[in-house]
Amino acid sequence: MAKTDSLKPTAVIVNGGAWGDEGKGKIASREAKDAKLVIRATGGANAGHTVVFNGKKLGLHLVPGGIVNPQATALIGQGVVLDPESLLKEIKDLEDAGVENVEGRLKISGRTHLVFPYHKVKDQLEEKYKDNPIGTTKRGIGPTYEDKDARVGLRVYDLLLPVKKLEAKIDVATRMLNQLFKLNGITEVDVHHLAELYHEYGKRIWQMVVNADILVDEFVKAGEKIVVEGAQAYRLDKDWGDYPDVTSSNCVTPGALIGAHLNQKDVKTTITVLKAYFSRVGEGPFPTEQLAHIKNDKVLKYEPDEAYVGDVIREAGGEYGVSTGRPRRCGWFDAVLVKSSKRALGTDYLCINHVDTLGQIGKTLGSVKVCVKYRYQRRFIDYYPDDIELTGEVPQPIYVEIDGGWDVPRDLKKYDELPEKAKFFIELVENITETPVKYIGVGPANDDLIIREDM
Ligand code: IMO
Ligand code: MG
């Protein structure tokens, strides 16, 4: 028999190029306009994706942003860790906003692992025992993936069990944990209560539960467009990222494929999303970070004329977490990091959001910067080093500075009409990263996007 013929690939993978919060929801919901299947593949309610529907901003954590397209089926794939309480709230928010037939179009893989309240308690406990806490979102993400790896995790299918059987499974999953809780003076898990609660969740969602392999296969074989809405980002990936300051999933493209029930032959295009400046929440290295008045995840009081560069960027971009409300650490665009991400992400095109915001930052500060090289261990390098934890040295950025700032007229749709300095910024990024910038975000709405169709 001959080698299996490949079908024409139809999946568009949207993923994060830095530390998250790049505006993946915006391009994902745009790509989803003509998609038939939209998939969330990894992470859980640690993600926060803002989509705009009928002029209203919706903060989504678990449901793919493409749900706002009434023709699309939306799938929560096997790589996600699902908190049913958070999911039900989101479904309600979507319905209240007027999104049609949410429960009819939303599908959940039966193999998706479940977040329980005890995972959130363990998340906090793990952070407490660390010399250098990660600054997790406290959504129970790490402990849920730990249970998955330890083969005691519960999956969406378990919600459909008779309550006694569900209780027995939760009991096994929490036996060791209860010893730990006891030692720490934490109330033990009420297995019976949790079984009843989660059984009720099961009654609410059973109609949405599917064998996602079959579902995805049907869309692939029919040649329908599929969009995978990535969560987290390159440097938060547990293998490629700034370990240990990472999340507990593989959020780069291959991880997203597993999570989405797809394989490499299904990929048509990979779009990596970035902002024209960078941000990070939680701990860990950030070479281009700029000083800001932030302490213990709070913004300190400061007079306007005392603002640091990091404060100016944060306020210009409204950089506060969708999931946790935390102020984000901010800094300049790091083209070295982006260049390094291509092996992990397999990027075809970049999408750079907030190019309008960068122009405003430039007007306030008199110039903007782009990191084009690092100085590290007394050498100049053009890649993101992987031994930062060992050396204890964060790479020193070498910048190209662009004088002044720019205004982007609203409704601008043509690349050629962008101000010269903004074009210089984009082309500098393309040169250093050796990647075309096809999508340019120039405003907050989904449509405030320049698409270079000639690419
Ligand atoms: P989206 O999809 C930004 C960060 C947390 C923390 C680390 C580990 O919106 O881009 P976790 O709770 O995952 O164990 O925390 O990862 N983090 C994110 N930062 N955006 C996200 O998702 C994130 N998801 C996790 O701040 O530093
Ligand atoms: Mg986020």
Side-chain angles (χ1 to χ4, degrees), residues 19-22 24 46-49 232 281 321-323 328:
W19 289 281
D21 307 322
E22 298 94 350
K24 296 179 283 289
N46 51 350
H49 299 170
Q232 287 78 51
V281 261
V322 177
S323 292
R328 296 177 183 144

Side-chain angles (χ1 to χ4, degrees), residues 154 158 161-170 195 198-199:
L154 276 89
D158 294 319
L161 286 170
V163 71
K164 278 281 159 223
K165 286 198 170 159
L166 175 59
E167 185 172 332
K169 276 200 141 183
I170 300 174
Y198 274 60
H199 187 70

Side-chain angles (χ1 to χ4, degrees), residues 209-410:
V209 180
V210 293
N211 177 334
D213 302 346
I214 307 287
L215 178 88
V216 170
D217 209 43
E218 281 170 5
F219 282 90
V220 170
K221 289 202 170 121
E224 302 285 12
K225 180 174 177 183
I226 298 171
V227 174
V228 178
E229 179 177 331
Q232 287 78 51
Y234 163 58
R235 293 239 54 91
L236 291 173
D237 182 277
K238 67 175 175 175
D239 287 290
W240 292 88
D242 301 307
Y243 194 89
D245 293 307
V246 293
T247 190
S248 299
S249 66
N250 284 118
C251 37
V252 297
T253 306
L257 292 178
I258 294 177
H261 306 250
L262 290 166
N263 69 58
Q264 75 282 3
K265 289 184 176 173
D266 300 321
V267 181
K268 182 174 176 231
T269 313
T270 302
I271 304 171
T272 294
V273 189
L274 294 154
K275 285 183 291 211
Y277 53 86
F278 274 29
S279 73
R280 174 164 201 167
V281 261
E283 297 306 313
F286 181 178
T288 61
E289 180 175 18
Q290 297 298 303
L291 197 61
H293 288 88
I294 300 180
K295 205 173 175 190
N296 299 331
D297 287 329
K298 298 249 158 24
V299 177
L300 305 171
K301 274 222 166 83
Y302 62 93
E303 296 299 321
D305 63 339
E306 294 167 354
Y308 294 128
V309 172
D311 296 315
V312 172
I313 301 176
R314 184 190 65 246
E315 294 308 313
E319 292 296 333
Y320 292 85
V322 177
S323 292
T324 58
R326 288 183 287 179
R328 296 177 183 144
R329 300 157 61 193
C330 291
W332 298 118
F333 191 98
D334 186 343
V336 180
L337 183 155
V338 177
K339 188 179 177 191
S340 302
S341 73
K342 288 177 71 179
R343 173 128 305 278
L345 301 174
T347 307
D348 291 305
Y349 301 110
L350 298 177
C351 167
I352 304 187
N353 285 318
H354 279 286
V355 171
D356 55 326
T357 311
L358 188 67
Q360 296 309 302
I361 294 165
K363 286 179 86 172
T364 307
L365 296 174
S367 68
V368 298
K369 294 181 184 177
V370 176
C371 169
V372 295
K373 246 186 203 334
Y374 294 144
R375 192 171 162 77
Y376 182 68
Q377 298 286 295
R378 294 187 299 280
R379 288 195 305 132
F380 290 105
I381 58 171
D382 64 353
Y383 57 87
Y384 196 102
D386 74 346
D387 57 355
I388 293 176
E389 203 202 3
L390 174 71
T391 62
E393 180 186 336
V394 177
Q396 283 282 318
I398 309 294
Y399 291 112
V400 166
E401 193 162 356
I402 306 170
D403 273 343
W406 55 81
D407 290 305
V408 181
R410 259 294 170 84

Side-chain angles (χ1 to χ4, degrees), residues 425-441:
F425 165 73
I426 297 290
E427 284 156 32
L428 177 63
V429 169
E430 288 186 321
N431 284 334
I432 303 290
T433 64
E434 295 164 10
T435 318
V437 179
K438 180 163 177 166
Y439 308 88
I440 300 165

